[in-house]
Amino acid sequence: MVYVGDGEKGSITDIGIVGDEIIELGDLKSARSKKIIDANGMVVSPGFIDLHAHLDPILELSECESHIRQGVTTALGGPDGRSPWPFGAYLDTLKEIGIGLNVGYLTGHNQLRKNVMQLENRDPTNEELEEMKRQVEVAMEEGAFGISTGLKYLPGTFSKVEEVIALSRVAAEKGGFYTSHLREEGLGLLEGVQEAIVISEQAEIPVVLTHHKVVGKPMWGSSEQTLFLVDSARKVGLDIMIDQYPYTASHTGISILIPNWAQAGGRKEFAKRIESPVLRDSIKKQILFNIINDRGGADLKRIQFSRVSWKPELEGKTMYDWCIMEGIEPSLENGADMVIKAQLNGGTGTIYHAMDEADVVRIMQYPYTMVASDGRLSEPGRGHPHPRAYGTFSRILDKYVREDKVLSLEEAIRKMTSLPAFRMGLSDRGLLKKGYKADISIFDPAKVKEMATFSEPHQYSSGIPWVIINGEVAVDNEKFMGIKAGQVLYGPAKKP
């Protein structure tokens, strides 16, 4: 059953591939081929496109198994304002080593600001702003698909909207789009969405609200308002879209619980501020506020550690567990002290169980929402990652299509294929059409399953027996082949 990827229902047909290209769709029973895949009883779909992927370990994990095994054939890196620099040289390195996936990259505002201003909490001078604009232009011409921001993170959090608009205009002039980790996803969520809409209007740039979510109990249900804002913006002609991962838990550093002003200048400056009783008291109060009202979910059991280089035995455990291990009462106030301790030790990767399923479903059903993992390339035995790293796309097909019937199969496939391909401007991927690249996922709709869990995340998805990337079989009847069939993809301004 072939689903083209355009949102239409599937049909029984055959697909013929030569080299890296689909050359025919139709009845090919009389055709001859070097290899035939019998997909009887299976769904054949375009390969899934992950519009928000943390590809940082790709130089080491170049085969990209954790993504490919969930049917992903293309991923976009450089999200949340973080990206490689120098930009073009990094893409050259990926071409040299070979990669399992097709990958493209955004250029990150946080990286550019750090290049020019380090972690300083101030506006840029005219000269500094011009240098950042120049770097955006360089990255675009070297192949970036657009610009990403992480306005909740250092140093992007220190920027005003005028700075972001100025840089986004440069990306827009080169044909790029803008993705944003909003300035706030909890109490300031509505203002964060409005800021992104202003950036789209003022910079004349397509915008993606990336990993769109509603964090913290006080804000649960606010997706009704955020989707109304997006709809209203689209009705007046702004190009606003959304991507989302299908979980009620987020993942980022422990530092997201710490006020940004306290982190200006980096960890050494943070340590100095903590030595001041007055400043420490102020910092602790704001951390406690965030534990109660934001990602902490008002419960230390909702704060789970994923990567702790200085205390690996904490990986998979919660802040509640850590307090017990240290022999202290697991109160929210003591949890705030432990956040400070964790940051002074070097920080942690942290999973926050602080979202509501009703918001997840509402955002998922919005027509212009795409599926994206926000997952980091992972391998078994390393850390305790969010299960999205292994199971985002299979979870959509397993839980939200087959079990909960939140999405139809054809709509889920559209959100994972042609919609992100359109956003990236890929004219030869994201659909099963003659002349398109042969990026294909083949799965059993009755058996496809996310195996990864929050307690046991290192489990590959099942029920996706074949994955084809650029005409090469990367997963062959459940066996991962370890080939490097991926290509480096370049954005619209890359000169030949």
Side-chain angles (χ1 to χ4, degrees), residues 99-119:
I99 45 178
L101 283 174
N102 302 311
V103 299
Y105 280 83
L106 300 161
T107 189
H109 169 230
N110 287 5
Q111 180 62 55
L112 302 179
R113 199 178 211 270
K114 193 174 180 182
N115 289 348
V116 177
M117 300 175 62
Q118 290 78 49
L119 298 178

Side-chain angles (χ1 to χ4, degrees), residues 190-341:
L190 300 182
E191 292 82 1
V193 172
Q194 288 168 334
E195 181 182 46
I197 291 170
V198 167
I199 291 165
S200 177
E201 181 182 27
Q202 296 295 316
E204 299 182 358
I205 193 168
V207 163
V208 176
L209 308 182
T210 201
H211 55 45
H212 187 42
K213 64 177 85 65
V214 180
V215 171
K217 286 183 180 180
M219 291 299 289
W220 286 359
S222 297
S223 55
E224 288 188 4
Q225 291 102 304
T226 65
L227 295 178
F228 176 80
L229 288 171
V230 172
D231 236 14
S232 299
R234 291 188 61 85
K235 284 176 181 175
V236 298
L238 298 181
D239 188 351
I240 314 287
M241 295 171 71
I242 293 168
D243 72 48
Q244 176 205 37
Y245 52 80
Y247 298 87
T248 55
S250 61
H251 180 281
T252 188
I254 196 76
S255 62
I256 205 163
L257 294 171
I258 301 170
N260 291 320
W261 62 263
Q263 302 177 67
R267 286 201 176 119
K268 286 185 179 179
E269 295 302 314
F270 174 72
K272 288 180 185 177
R273 294 182 184 105
I274 290 299
E275 290 173 3
S276 162
V278 173
L279 289 179
R280 181 187 177 104
D281 182 63
S282 179
I283 292 167
K284 181 179 173 180
K285 283 179 179 176
Q286 291 189 49
I287 293 172
L288 183 60
F289 180 88
N290 288 335
I291 290 176
I292 294 170
N293 296 291
D294 202 85
R295 298 200 185 232
D299 183 351
L300 298 188
K301 291 180 180 178
R302 290 177 176 266
I303 304 172
Q304 182 183 15
F305 300 111
S306 62
R307 292 190 305 276
V308 189
S309 60
W310 44 271
K311 198 175 180 70
E313 60 269 30
L314 276 181
E315 293 176 351
K317 302 291 195 301
T318 66
M319 183 68 78
Y320 182 97
D321 298 327
W322 189 21
C323 288
I324 298 298
M325 289 165 64
E326 296 288 326
I328 63 174
E329 181 190 353
S331 65
L332 299 184
E333 187 162 333
N334 285 339
D337 284 322
M338 299 302 269
V339 170
I340 292 172
K341 182 175 180 179

Side-chain angles (χ1 to χ4, degrees), residues 57-69:
I58 196 168
L59 296 178
E60 188 177 353
L61 303 179
S62 57
E63 292 179 355
C64 308
E65 185 171 2
S66 57
H67 259 64
I68 293 172
R69 278 192 177 272

